[in-house]
Amino acid sequence: MPISLPDPQHRLRCGRCGNLTRFDVSRELSVKEFWHLDMAGNVTVEASDTVSEHVLSVTCRWCGATDEIEHVLRPDAGGPATEPDSAR
């Protein structure tokens, strides 16, 4: 099942182990950049805009789950202030 990155009201949570803080995220990005080259040819990126972003995978760093990653409300958006006992 595809997963997206959470919006400001949500966070990621592993449904298997309860992890809320450590995930390996693989993304594919397309960016448009403004490059400034000095006379020697050295590049400085002065502006960068993301054109598109696609999340390839999200893996729980604690237990390795890839199929139980979910979005849950943050506490300040109405989510629970504490997590279930299975959370570390």
Side-chain angles (χ1 to χ4, degrees):
M1 175 167 75
I3 185 143
S4 59
L5 296 179
D7 62 33
Q9 292 187 321
H10 292 84
R11 59 184 173 175
L12 295 177
R13 180 181 184 280
C14 177
R16 183 185 298 165
C17 72
N19 170 31
L20 292 165
T21 60
R22 302 288 189 266
F23 298 93
D24 291 315
V25 180
S26 296
R27 300 182 298 157
E28 187 174 77
L29 295 173
S30 175
V31 297
K32 180 180 178 183
E33 297 176 330
F34 172 66
W35 288 14
H36 180 179
L37 285 78
D38 64 18
M39 294 304 288
N42 299 311
V43 176
T44 301
V45 177
E46 293 190 356
S48 181
D49 295 314
T50 300
V51 176
S52 65
E53 176 181 21
H54 178 72
V55 177
L56 301 173
S57 66
V58 178
T59 304
C60 176
R61 185 50 90 95
W62 286 357
C63 73
T66 58
D67 59 344
E68 296 188 49
I69 309 301
E70 57 193 8
H71 287 189
V72 295
L73 282 173
R74 295 176 188 262
D76 58 356
T82 60
E83 293 301 318
D85 290 335
S86 63
R88 293 184 184 182

